[in-house]
Amino acid sequence: MISLRNIEKHYGGVTALNQVSLDIGRGELVVLIGPSGCGKSTLLRTVNRMTEPSAGQIIIDGRNALESDPVLLRRSIGYVIQNVGLFPHMTVRENVAVVPQLLGWDKARRLRRADEMLDLVRLDPHKFGGRYPGQLSGGQQQRVGIARALAADPALLLMDEPFSAVDPITREQLQEELLRIQRDVRKTILFVTHDIDEAIRLADKICLLRDGAVAQYADPDTMLRQPADAFVAQFFGQEPALRRLARYTVADFARTDAASLAAASAALASGAGSVPHDAGARTALSKLLGGQAALAVVDEAGAVVGQVSLSDLTLAQPADRAIAA
Ligand SMILES: Nc1ncnc2c1ncn2[C@@H]1O[C@H](COP(=O)(O)OP(=O)(O)OP(=O)(O)O)[C@@H](O)[C@H]1O
Ligand SMILES: [Mg+2]
């Protein structure tokens, strides 16, 4: 889908990007991460040419992006940033319809599309469509930002720290929403973050940048298990096995065979602990570290759907939620 070849960006004497080459497959969510100033935003912005690279090639769907009309290119790519940048004097619905309007869609079609997109990000269009951005919470504004970026149905979405300005709980909800939306609409997404857990949770692949160059480009498991060098290992920190769990829910590790179900039901009936199937795997870990040998895994209705114990959480290859589905 996207192929970046030997991208360089120099600002006077500063090298912001140094020979960056990266291939991103259709429908992949690639996270750019790295220390402040390492070039994440600059790299993201070269893709829609908000920043012109000093050297290198950008191929999107077989076409040389550096030879396309930059304005048309930008309209064809969704872009979401930290403080959203909604137009304060336009309603939520009008904000979402901005790119379709630029593309010349008629009014009825673009407003219908805006409402569809608000539904997609779980904002009731009847309730929120007529409000102004200042009448929304930070998390709601961020949802509108995502709806707006998706409105013209771009194949590619660029997101620069989209969830950095919201509180941790809202942030987790937005991450969950993004994964859900991604399962529905399958965009190619380039996502910048500072947050290691966010990267591990969301990414199909992570690109770690250091001083404008690629330190390692791999899927999260590989990155955590086989860091390319000491910088990568240090960046991801002391507890790679714990960090990995951020990617998974309890359901990914649960045993669901008949014997496990029977054992879990019996244990539950005699007062043993349980954990929701869609809880994060780390929730199960902390409960298990509390001393239980195994937990019953339950669904929304409280029915037993599996069992999980400590040894399950150490499995190398649980079902991968982000890639499956
Ligand atoms: N317009 C500019 N003029 C001069 N230098 C710039 C410009 N934009 C970025 N830089 C420099 O390029 C380097 C990379 O910046 P960039 O914004 O891409 O970093 P980043 O990884 O996104 O950092 P952060 O995590 O803090 O957002 C930095 O050294 C920065 O100072
Ligand atoms: Mg940045």
Side-chain angles (χ1 to χ4, degrees):
M1 163 90 197
I2 310 178
S3 182
L4 305 177
R5 286 279 154 266
N6 307 107
I7 302 291
E8 293 189 22
K9 181 66 187 180
H10 308 283
Y11 291 107
V14 177
T15 299
L17 296 174
N18 184 10
Q19 294 284 326
V20 174
S21 294
L22 208 60
D23 285 311
I24 300 165
R26 176 173 299 280
E28 276 185 338
L29 196 165
V30 170
V31 170
L32 298 174
I33 196 167
S36 186
C38 70
K40 302 179 293 295
S41 298
T42 305
L43 183 61
L44 195 76
R45 292 162 59 94
T46 61
V47 175
N48 67 0
R49 291 178 62 193
M50 292 174 72
T51 297
E52 292 288 344
S54 312
Q57 273 197 314
I58 300 172
I59 311 294
I60 302 178
D61 274 337
R63 294 178 53 190
N64 186 341
L66 298 176
E67 284 169 3
S68 342
D69 177 338
V71 175
L72 294 182
L73 182 75
R74 246 163 260 153
R75 275 182 205 161
S76 72
I77 297 175
Y79 186 57
V80 185
I81 54 174
Q82 186 179 123
N83 287 314
V84 207
L86 298 176
F87 300 111
H89 56 284
M90 285 164 60
T91 64
V92 163
R93 190 176 279 118
E94 288 165 349
N95 264 284
V96 175
V98 156
V99 178
Q101 181 168 18
L102 288 171
L103 294 173
W105 295 19
D106 67 60
K107 190 167 178 185
R109 179 174 171 219
R110 64 182 190 250
L111 294 182
R112 199 166 57 237
R113 177 69 179 174
D115 283 6
E116 276 170 33
M117 292 299 101
L118 289 171
D119 272 330
L120 182 68
V121 299
R122 304 243 164 114
L123 288 175
D124 179 355
H126 304 294
K127 190 164 163 198
F128 293 100
R131 288 201 200 173
Y132 290 89
Q135 300 170 310
L136 301 182
S137 73
Q140 289 164 344
Q141 290 184 32
Q142 214 59 50
R143 286 169 194 258
V144 177
I146 296 171
R148 183 177 60 178
L150 290 169
D153 203 19
L156 174 61
L157 210 55
L158 306 177
M159 307 182 85
D160 195 347
E161 306 207 33
F163 307 149
S164 302
V166 296
D167 65 86
I169 291 173
T170 306
R171 185 172 189 148
E172 279 200 21
Q173 288 167 348
L174 289 168
Q175 291 167 357
E176 195 52 52
E177 291 294 302
L178 183 66
L179 286 172
R180 181 185 58 76
I181 290 169
Q182 178 65 345
R183 287 193 287 268
D184 281 0
V185 299
R186 259 303 151 195
K187 301 295 180 184
T188 304
I189 301 178
L190 204 49
F191 185 109
V192 170
T193 185
H194 269 107
D195 184 297
I196 294 173
D197 290 319
E198 182 166 85
I200 290 167
R201 182 159 188 219
L202 296 180
D204 296 315
K205 284 192 189 143
I206 297 177
C207 176
L208 174 59
L209 292 174
R210 177 194 196 180
D211 297 337
V214 177
Q216 188 168 359
Y217 181 41
D219 64 86
D221 270 353
T222 305
M223 205 82 152
L224 291 168
R225 288 162 173 267
Q226 297 156 24
D229 59 25
F231 169 77
V232 180
Q234 195 183 13
F235 185 84
F236 285 98
Q238 294 300 312
E239 286 129 3
L242 276 182
R243 290 208 180 276
R244 249 182 102 240
L245 289 183
R247 261 182 97 62
Y248 301 109
T249 62
V250 171
D252 292 324
F253 290 97
R255 277 170 288 107
T256 57
D257 57 286
S260 300
L261 288 175
S265 301
L268 191 63
S270 59
S274 68
V275 63
H277 70 119
D278 57 354
R282 277 200 269 200
T283 307
L285 178 68
S286 46
K287 285 198 174 193
L288 287 163
L289 290 175
Q292 304 231 17
L295 296 166
V297 179
V298 296
D299 67 12
E300 287 80 3
V304 173
V305 293
Q307 189 178 40
V308 69
S309 58
L310 267 184
S311 57
D312 298 317
L313 295 178
T314 62
L315 281 181
Q317 297 286 335
D320 191 321
R321 183 169 50 106
I323 293 164

